[in-house]
Amino acid sequence: EAVGVGLPIISSNVGGIGDLLENKNSALLVEKYNDIEEYRKQIEYALEHRKEFNEYAKVAQKEMLKKHNWKTLEETIKFNLK
């Protein structure tokens, strides 16, 4: 949801997050979900590099719209109905 409205992301790299977001390209990711120190470092980085961090949000939103839109949904449905 955050990507959809253009918010920058700091997240743990669990589940399918790594398939959707790339560290220091479209988000800031923490490898171990319970690593509080790594979260602190990523938040500090985001605050020190605000312009870059906000650009990640634009990249993430652009990539998400490319992969998840009505056209790709239609193609997926048609493929699965074959």
Side-chain angles (χ1 to χ4, degrees):
E1 291 85 10
V3 170
V5 295
L7 294 175
I9 306 292
I10 298 175
S11 175
S12 57
N13 191 8
V14 297
I17 298 296
D19 296 333
L20 301 172
L21 302 169
E22 182 181 345
N23 191 39
K24 292 196 174 174
N25 179 45
S26 55
L28 292 174
L29 300 179
V30 174
E31 289 303 316
K32 296 180 183 175
Y33 74 92
N34 60 351
D35 188 342
I36 302 302
E37 181 61 21
E38 188 61 25
Y39 276 106
R40 186 196 63 75
K41 288 178 185 177
Q42 294 290 40
I43 293 168
E44 190 174 274
Y45 183 89
L47 292 172
E48 291 173 358
H49 302 89
R50 287 176 190 232
K51 186 175 180 181
E52 179 183 337
F53 186 51
N54 287 324
E55 286 299 315
Y56 296 161
K58 293 175 186 175
V59 169
Q61 191 175 40
K62 184 178 177 181
E63 290 295 314
M64 196 67 61
L65 289 172
K66 194 183 327 178
K67 294 176 185 175
H68 303 283
N69 58 60
W70 290 112
K71 183 69 177 163
T72 58
L73 177 61
E74 177 186 10
E75 291 168 0
T76 301
I77 291 170
K78 285 180 179 178
F79 178 80
N80 289 323
L81 290 176
K82 288 183 182 179

